[in-house]
Amino acid sequence: MRAGNNLNDIGGAIEDYLEEINISSGVEFGIIEGYTGHGIGREMHMDPDVYNYRVKGRSARLTPGVVLAIEPMVTLGCAETEVGSDDWTVSTVDKSKACHWEHTVALTSAGVWVLTADDGGREKLARLGAPYGGLD
């Protein structure tokens, strides 16, 4: 998530990261499609959708001030899902193990600020060579 990159670059980075893990671990993780992250602003769920996999086509450029919830859903089995009778619980059809996690991330003029990380993401961003953009 860098100023000037495209929104769809985020999904491509998630997919690339999982492919690297698949190769290094020998475990085959898959990405559940049909669920996305989203923008956050004056409301909890706003445009744009943030895909968790590579999407072809043009997308918006990332600019300072954008705040996104990036929330991949990853499975060890089939990627097809079903919603439970509570209209909230999502399971894979084959009941394989899956997980969902989320970070809310702001892009500032200084870099990336992970609002949901204890240190704003500073340590991990440094390891990745990405600029930290917190307000401190």
Side-chain angles (χ1 to χ4, degrees):
M1 186 168 163
R2 294 179 191 251
N5 283 3
N6 291 310
L7 178 66
N8 286 349
D9 292 337
I10 295 170
I14 293 168
E15 187 173 326
D16 290 347
Y17 180 74
L18 285 173
E19 286 176 8
E20 287 176 26
I21 291 173
N22 289 348
I23 291 168
S24 66
S25 70
V27 177
E28 188 66 29
F29 292 100
I31 300 170
I32 295 175
E33 297 183 10
Y35 294 90
T36 65
H38 50 84
I40 293 182
R42 297 192 191 286
E43 298 175 29
M44 177 64 76
H45 295 98
M46 298 178 63
D47 288 337
D49 289 334
V50 181
Y51 292 92
N52 300 310
Y53 47 88
R54 187 165 279 101
V55 176
K56 293 186 180 195
R58 297 183 59 94
S59 62
R61 289 246 184 241
L62 297 170
T63 59
V66 69
V67 181
L68 302 172
I70 301 171
E71 44 185 310
M73 298 177 104
V74 177
T75 180
L76 283 171
C78 122
E80 187 177 347
T81 62
E82 59 189 9
V83 178
S85 60
D86 62 2
D87 289 328
W88 180 257
T89 304
V90 176
S91 303
T92 57
V93 171
D94 66 358
K95 305 298 185 218
S96 60
K97 291 183 178 183
C99 68
H100 165 248
W101 69 97
E102 176 176 342
H103 271 301
T104 301
V105 183
L107 184 59
T108 71
S109 59
V112 176
W113 184 13
V114 183
L115 303 173
T116 47
D118 288 337
D119 68 347
R122 183 188 308 261
E123 184 179 321
K124 186 151 190 183
L125 290 165
R127 285 195 312 252
L128 295 171
Y132 171 71
L135 298 180
D136 51 19

